Amino acid sequence: MQIRSIQGQLILLVGASFLIMAGAMVGVTTYLLKGVRSEATSVIDRSQSQSYGKDLDGIIAELARAKEGVDRTLREAGTNGTEGAEAWRRDAQSQVVEELRRRCYSSSNVSIYPIIVATNGLVVMHPGRRAGERLDDEALEQALLGVGNAEVNVIYQEVPLWIRVGRYAPWGWVVGFVVPQEVKGAPARSIEETIATFNRCQLLTIALMGA
């Protein structure tokens, strides 16, 4: 009887030790993975901000090239400041916007796209609105016109959006590079799912070891 009692105590001791070690292992791993997840999410956010920022800068640079081109043409023709000069500028604006529309809205399923509005709130370029119309959402209009060069979050047509906003002052235009939060957050969610899978595998391994 005494031997059985000792054996029982040993089994309990081993079991308790195993549970303590397993709990400590899970705790340490969870803590470390939390730090990895936070750092990875931060890195992804910075990378996306830089990437979409470059796309926005590229559009603004294209507008600047169009302006420089028409200004140079007007200077060479000696027509700068005349009545016809404004028509030349409008034509240059129309051409660069049409090229941007063709390139950026060519897909039938546009989820990431640029929009351009004038500082008076009228649409210059938008996948769902005609030029000269007002934006159909007050929150979106305020998000674009109420900041300078910034990143904003807004809900548009019930879809949460992240927008990188820039301005092209010579033409009085505001350019926004629109990314749905669902798309922007996909890499971070992938990391979350990987961590969750790792945790499930760890718990399963511990359970099998204790079986």
Side-chain angles (χ1 to χ4, degrees):
M1 291 291 294
Q2 189 173 5
I3 294 176
R4 290 182 179 177
S5 177
I6 293 172
Q7 288 176 336
Q9 291 177 6
L10 286 173
I11 291 172
L12 287 175
L13 181 60
V14 171
S17 299
F18 176 80
L19 290 175
I20 293 172
M21 290 176 62
M25 186 188 310
V26 171
V28 170
T29 303
T30 301
Y31 175 78
L32 292 175
L33 288 177
K34 183 179 179 180
V36 170
R37 177 176 55 196
S38 177
E39 180 62 24
T41 301
S42 178
V43 169
I44 289 171
D45 282 343
R46 288 197 300 270
S47 175
Q48 288 180 322
S49 180
Q50 291 172 359
S51 176
Y52 294 133
K54 288 180 180 178
D55 292 332
L56 177 67
D57 291 343
I59 292 172
I60 292 176
E62 199 162 339
L63 299 180
R65 285 193 295 271
K67 180 183 182 301
E68 290 169 4
V70 70
D71 287 349
R72 182 170 55 252
T73 299
L74 292 173
R75 285 196 303 271
E76 292 173 351
T79 55
N80 203 7
T82 65
E83 292 183 1
E86 189 58 34
W88 276 83
R89 291 193 176 92
R90 287 196 299 268
D91 186 59
Q93 291 172 345
S94 297
Q95 288 183 25
V96 70
V97 167
E98 185 58 32
E99 173 59 23
L100 287 170
R101 288 187 64 89
R102 183 192 63 78
R103 194 169 69 245
C104 300
Y105 301 160
S106 59
S107 172
S108 59
N109 182 26
V110 179
S111 59
I112 300 176
Y113 55 89
I115 57 177
I116 303 175
V117 297
T119 52
N120 61 5
L122 298 182
V123 169
V124 175
M125 188 180 84
H126 189 288
R129 307 291 293 177
R130 283 196 286 263
E133 294 180 342
R134 294 199 72 87
L135 288 170
D136 55 347
D137 189 276
E138 185 177 349
L140 178 60
E141 182 174 321
Q142 290 179 351
L144 290 170
L145 302 181
V147 299
N149 297 324
E151 299 174 6
V152 296
N153 296 297
V154 65
I155 296 178
Y156 176 57
Q157 296 180 346
E158 300 183 354
V159 177
L161 301 175
W162 175 91
I163 307 177
R164 182 68 181 263
V165 182
R167 291 177 178 268
Y168 185 61
W171 285 351
W173 288 1
V174 179
V175 184
F177 202 84
V178 180
V179 184
Q181 289 283 7
E182 183 178 0
V183 175
K184 185 174 183 292
R189 285 196 304 274
S190 178
I191 290 175
E192 294 274 357
E193 291 169 1
T194 300
I195 290 174
T197 300
F198 180 85
N199 283 335
R200 287 193 293 268
C201 291
Q202 184 185 44
L203 291 173
L204 178 61
T205 301
I206 291 172
L208 291 174
M209 289 173 61

